[in-house]
Each structure stands twice: as structure tokens, then as C-alpha cells.
Amino acid sequence: MNKTHNKTSALIILSHQMDSNGELDKETFARIELAIELYKRKKFDFIITSGRDYKDNSDIKIGEAVAEIIKDRYSIAKNKVLVDVLSRDTVGDAFFLRRNVLTPHGINSVTIVTTNYHVQRTDMIFKKFFLPNISVTTVGAKMALDNLEELLDHEKKSYLSFLATFDKVDLSNDRAVINTLSLKHPFYNGEVYDKLNAY
């Protein structure tokens, strides 16, 4: 007898940047617009946003700013929008969303929306954190960018840095990931932002 496996799906919007007043940049809006287009085309159980208050002169969390736009401007029901505000980068997006949002809600299929130049790194990082339990599809909003070559070079270096930071770390072990972030990652170990305290 064949068993059917129910899929609980989510559309994840990765934020880019905003100013201290909570105004989102054009790149974030391009991601939101693509996500809404996908949401209207296919049934997703949830839309998820993430991102912390990364501006020194503002306590507005970018994940919440994106969520408010989605609910207000596009009339998405509040109970369909989930937010996590611990992430400080793509690695944090993958880990904290898995731990704080996807696992508690039983989500096992995601489509991640970012920008075209960021698709490859996003896809590789999320798959390392999500597979085999959560299926991953990554899509990118198309933008004409003058500094595309520079961005792609940064993406490559960032991915190699990720591999070095998490070398031999069991990414399925939340405690091991948090320990590594808080000791080795400059966005979480106190070098750039406050030291991570998320046990």
C-alpha cells in the first residue's frame, strides 16, 4: 500500500536592505514582487520573512518591515505570514528559519526568493541546512546591476568562507551550529554586531 506524504509549503523572501526609517530598497521590493507573483500562481501554506534590526540608529527589524508590506499592500492574511528576526545573513536565514519557523510549523517544502546574482549561493547554503527533510527551490528576481561581476566575486568568496567556517560541523545539530556562529562568524561572534545569545 502506497503512503502519501503531505507537503506543507512555504515561500521564503530573503530581505536585502532598508534605511533607518524602515524604507526597503529596490532590490528587496523586486524580491517581494516576484514572491507575490509566485504566491498568486501556486498555493503556498505560508510566506516567510527574516532579518534583524541591523541599523545602529534604528530598532526596526527588516523581516518585520517586509512582512508588514506583504500584509498591508498585498492583502495577505496575517496568519499566512511568518517572521523570524534573528538572522543577520544568508547562513543565519537558513539556520534560524529551520529552527524557529519551519520545524515548529512542520514545513517540508520551500521556495526561496532572492535576487538573480544571489541564487546559487543561497541554494547551496539552504540545501546544506535543509536536505533531506525539507525540499528546496531557489529563484531570483531579475535586476540589471552595474556591479554584477563584483557581486558574483563576493558571492564566491562568501560561500568559500561559509565552507571554511562550518568545516566538520554537523549542520543538523542546532547546538553545534550556534556554537560555531558565536565563535567563528563575524556577524555573530561580536566582531560586527553584538555577540549571539540564542540558546
Side-chain angles (χ1 to χ4, degrees), residues 4 19 33 67 82 93 97 104 109 114 161 163 185 197-198:
T4 57
D19 65 20
E33 286 165 8
L82 306 175
D93 286 326
L97 287 175
S109 175
T114 183
S161 177
L163 292 178
H185 195 303
N197 182 17

Side-chain angles (χ1 to χ4, degrees), residues 27-90:
E27 193 167 328
T28 300
F29 272 111
R31 298 177 184 189
I32 291 170
E33 286 165 8
L34 174 57
I36 296 300
E37 182 184 321
L38 293 172
Y39 186 78
K40 288 178 178 177
R41 216 188 296 164
K42 179 189 170 187
K43 182 176 172 58
F44 289 90
D45 296 296
F46 299 103
I47 297 182
I48 302 171
T49 68
S50 72
R52 61 163 290 190
D53 50 338
Y54 68 98
K55 294 282 187 183
D56 290 337
N57 56 348
S58 174
D59 60 359
I60 299 169
K61 296 172 175 61
I62 191 168
E64 291 177 346
V66 172
E68 288 307 309
I69 290 285
I70 292 166
K71 289 182 282 190
D72 296 344
R73 191 172 298 187
Y74 297 98
S75 302
I76 305 297
K78 290 182 180 180
N79 65 349
K80 291 286 186 182
V81 182
L82 306 175
V83 185
D84 183 77
V85 294
L86 288 178
S87 171
R88 303 171 182 181
D89 69 336
T90 306

